[in-house]
Amino acid sequence: MRAMLLDAPGRPLRAVELPMPVPGPGQVLVRVEACAVCRTDLHLVDGELPHPKLPVIPGHEIVGEVVRCGAGIERLRPGLRVGIPWLGHSCGRCWYCLHEAENLCDAPGFTGYTIDGGYAEHAVADAAYCFPIPEAYGAVEAAPLLCAGLIGYRTLMMAGQAERLGIYGFGAAAHIVAQLATFQGRRVHAFTRPGDVAAQAFARGLGAAWAGGSDEPLAEPLDAALIFAPVGSLVPTALQAVRKGGTVVCGGIHMSDIPSFPYHQLWGERVLRSVANLTRRDALEFLALAPQVPVRTETTVYPLDQANRALDDLRHGRLQGAAVLVPA
Ligand SMILES: [Zn+2]
Ligand SMILES: [Zn+2]
């Protein structure tokens, strides 16, 4: 099968021909129909994530058809369209796994990071971490739901009942969260890079009540803010934007350093927290909710062998919504 391989951080992905992977017990072989490109893939390629499997096939927003089941699988069968997300394995034994926090597992496996992912024609995955895709979605359209959607959903849930919601960084995750939040009756304030009027118009088109640069004054204090941009200086900015008792949630896996700020910006029982990974329950909840909204994804399709170009376009903010790789 063809795949795009990361040999070492800092290098472009390399197109390779690999033997067809064989599913072991409890695993499925999936013919990849689409795999979305996540900012986490950029952090992986840039060496900002510790201890990746190397070489590794990136990609953790996989949609494809089950073509073969390993021994002992009852829940899935060949022909079924499934999604494979970032959480590829959890140990089931550690304190976190036993307390409904498998996203924080001490011995996890992550798709496209410590397990080969979906920048390929086929992928093998643990069947217990695969999810049927709602029938309303095509493969390309569904791919960004698998991380931008899932982690975005978990991030939004951490904001509790917040009605006035700020979103910093209007990329793939934000464009899904904005639709979900609006559906839930929240008022979305979208903050983009100063002067990025295209992203601001995009945000308003997806239901944002207000959109502007992260340097612009607030129309009203926020109940909560979600940060999807990997920019640490947005943390004090967002803390200043939320009311007393408000929450700031960092949704990304990596961020530049957070500058120091005076304690009074946190004072008033403001809460600052991160969101890490996802649980299978998040996936089930979000994939059931998405068709009700209905969440629509904006995608730009690239052939699989153009993965480096897709990553480059993401890096330079030349994308609206999500990039999706499709094996030609
Ligand atoms: Zn991701
Ligand atoms: Zn565990």
Side-chain angles (χ1 to χ4, degrees):
M1 68 165 189
R2 288 182 305 125
M4 296 299 289
L5 198 65
L6 177 69
D7 292 306
R11 289 201 217 156
L13 306 183
R14 185 166 58 91
V16 293
E17 187 71 36
L18 298 173
M20 182 70 80
V22 178
Q27 293 182 323
V28 286
L29 175 67
V30 169
R31 182 180 60 78
V32 178
E33 294 176 81
C35 183
V37 176
C38 177
R39 182 165 290 280
T40 297
D41 303 343
L42 269 186
H43 296 313
L44 171 73
V45 168
D46 290 347
E48 289 164 337
L49 305 184
H51 312 303
K53 165 192 182 293
L54 287 174
V56 66
I57 302 171
H60 58 269
E61 302 186 82
I62 307 168
V63 176
E65 183 192 351
V66 176
V67 289
R68 222 177 125 190
C69 292
I73 292 176
E74 287 166 10
R75 203 170 61 90
L76 304 177
R77 54 181 160 69
L80 199 66
R81 179 179 276 169
V82 294
I84 306 171
W86 171 248
L87 183 72
H89 178 75
S90 53
C91 78
R93 293 185 301 274
C94 73
W95 188 90
Y96 300 98
C97 283
L98 296 175
H99 290 82
E100 295 183 17
E102 64 185 3
N103 59 309
L104 302 177
C105 176
D106 281 333
F110 295 118
T111 311
Y113 175 31
T114 61
I115 301 169
D116 279 329
Y119 287 18
E121 289 179 311
H122 288 81
V124 157
D126 186 329
Y129 299 80
C130 297
F131 302 91
I133 294 295
E135 290 195 352
Y137 290 97
V140 167
E141 200 186 5
L145 301 178
L146 271 301
C147 184
L150 289 183
I151 307 260
Y153 170 73
R154 186 173 177 85
T155 307
L156 177 62
M157 291 304 99
M158 296 301 176
Q161 298 299 313
E163 193 189 323
R164 297 165 298 179
L165 185 75
I167 301 182
Y168 290 80
F170 212 84
H175 102 285
I176 292 173
V177 170
Q179 296 173 59
L180 193 55
T182 304
F183 172 75
Q184 292 173 332
R186 308 175 196 248
R187 269 207 317 289
V188 172
H189 299 61
F191 297 89
T192 70
R193 269 182 280 228
D196 192 348
V197 288
Q200 290 158 19
F202 183 47
R204 279 188 288 265
L206 293 171
W210 179 92
S214 53
D215 58 341
E216 288 182 40
L218 288 173
E220 55 184 348
L222 304 172
D223 299 313
L226 317 180
I227 304 179
F228 292 114
V231 180
S233 62
L234 288 173
V235 169
T237 303
L239 276 171
Q240 281 180 283
V242 298
R243 61 161 172 79
K244 286 178 283 187
T247 302
V248 174
V249 190
C250 302
I253 193 170
H254 176 85
M255 196 178 237
S256 57
D257 284 355
I258 301 169
S260 71
F261 54 88
Y263 177 57
H264 73 78
Q265 291 181 11
L266 182 63
W267 172 249
E269 301 196 343
R270 289 175 181 84
V271 175
L272 171 62
R273 70 172 300 161
S274 66
V275 153
N277 315 315
L278 69 136
T279 65
R280 284 174 282 180
R281 187 169 163 181
D282 294 328
L284 291 171
E285 287 177 4
F286 174 69
L287 290 174
L289 191 56
Q292 292 174 36
V293 174
V295 171
R296 292 288 163 220
T297 58
E298 172 118 350
T299 56
T300 304
V301 173
Y302 298 76
L304 173 61
D305 60 10
Q306 295 293 306
N308 288 308
R309 189 163 63 86
L311 286 167
D312 208 49
D313 287 349
L314 174 60
R315 183 190 301 284
H316 294 104
R318 290 191 291 254
L319 280 165
Q320 216 161 63
V324 179
L325 302 178
V326 173

